[in-house]
Amino acid sequence: MRKPWIVGMLLATVLLGACSDPSSGPEQAPRSVPPPASAGTTHQRAAGSPAPGARAEAPTVLYLGDSLAMEAQNVVGQELRRDLGARYTGRPYSGTTVCDYLEGTGAKSLVPDRDKAAALVRALKPDFVVLQFWGNAWGYTWCMDGITHAERPTTYFKRYKADMARLTEQIATAGGARRPRIVWVSQGPDPITPDRVRRVNELYAGQAAASGDLVADAGARVSAAGARYSWVQYLPCTAYEREHDAYCTQPGRDRTALHLDKDYLHFCLAPTTSTPKPCPVRSPGILRIAREITRVIGRASSG
């Protein structure tokens, strides 16, 4: 019988191994809102005024991350534009981790120089930089230098923390007088390495506190009440999901699916393909995550 981490590593090879530029068809939007723009850069202002409480000038938001961000990028943009009138750019790359967005990694990175975090901050001058990563604990990116959680957990966490600090510094330097606020998106439960997720989320919280940045606890929105780090495939429907049957996937049982049967990591309810792209179907977990990111940015924008 294979050990759980080996099973997870084999699955991650399929789910996280490929990488491409973030371009594909749009995510299907809820029936109550207009469909989102296609992936990539968009500076279209949502129709009407920003939501009550938002500042007069809509925030500019840059969204970076791995396959979790790749699948969610259209819905995140949709929610930010609709609720905050945000100007939004998404540049996620599947299979990446924090160090891939660092400048100075050279060829040891899955992210090209033009899309490094600091380069995009200099070009776009965002108010917020949202960072969402699963953590890449099994060494599927060159910039981690083969450091894996399974073989060297202490070194893994030390390296992850150092990379977070470096990325924060590079973003701050690139922003200059208009230093953007970073929003670290917390991870949801992981059935293979639950303690790793807890530790990484603690690192996010610590780094945000140290640098005056933010945490969007999106992972809590895809966790069971009172069991933050216990993985679940289904959760009770929210009020919004009950009103939109495409999101309350099992209305007779008042529950909704977060994951496919064979994919415990991603929240897209369509199979992952070898060519990464935004999720093509309505997926409750992605919407929950996007709404929490939007809520945190909206609160910070109006403060």
Side-chain angles (χ1 to χ4, degrees), residues 96-119:
T96 59
T97 194
V98 174
C99 58
D100 283 291
Y101 281 94
L102 287 168
E103 289 189 319
T105 51
K108 292 177 61 177
S109 175
L110 298 173
V111 176
D113 288 346
R114 68 178 183 276
D115 286 338
K116 298 294 191 181

Side-chain angles (χ1 to χ4, degrees), residues 176-196:
R178 287 198 56 183
R179 189 252 200 231
R181 295 192 77 181
I182 296 170
V183 182
W184 296 96
V185 181
S186 70
Q187 299 179 23
D190 181 343
I192 303 301
T193 57
D195 185 61
R196 182 196 65 83

Side-chain angles (χ1 to χ4, degrees), residues 41-66:
T41 301
T42 175
H43 292 286
Q44 295 179 351
R45 181 72 175 271
S49 301
R55 61 187 180 187
E57 183 180 352
T60 299
V61 181
L62 173 62
Y63 183 48
L64 309 176
D66 60 11

Side-chain angles (χ1 to χ4, degrees), residues 63 72-81 88 132 290 293-294:
Y63 183 48
Q73 62 180 305
N74 283 353
V75 180
V76 170
Q78 163 192 288
E79 295 299 304
L80 287 166
R81 287 190 297 267
Y88 169 79
Q132 182 172 11
I293 292 170
T294 301

Side-chain angles (χ1 to χ4, degrees), residues 136-196:
N136 204 324
W138 294 323
Y140 290 100
T141 180
W142 301 318
C143 66
M144 282 295 287
D145 298 320
I147 299 170
T148 65
H149 175 263
E151 295 179 357
R152 292 189 285 169
T154 300
T155 305
Y156 167 81
F157 289 120
K158 183 177 180 180
R159 172 62 182 276
Y160 202 88
K161 181 179 181 179
D163 287 342
M164 288 171 57
R166 269 186 76 195
L167 188 58
T168 297
E169 181 180 1
Q170 288 189 3
I171 289 171
T173 300
R178 287 198 56 183
R179 189 252 200 231
R181 295 192 77 181
I182 296 170
V183 182
W184 296 96
V185 181
S186 70
Q187 299 179 23
D190 181 343
I192 303 301
T193 57
D195 185 61
R196 182 196 65 83

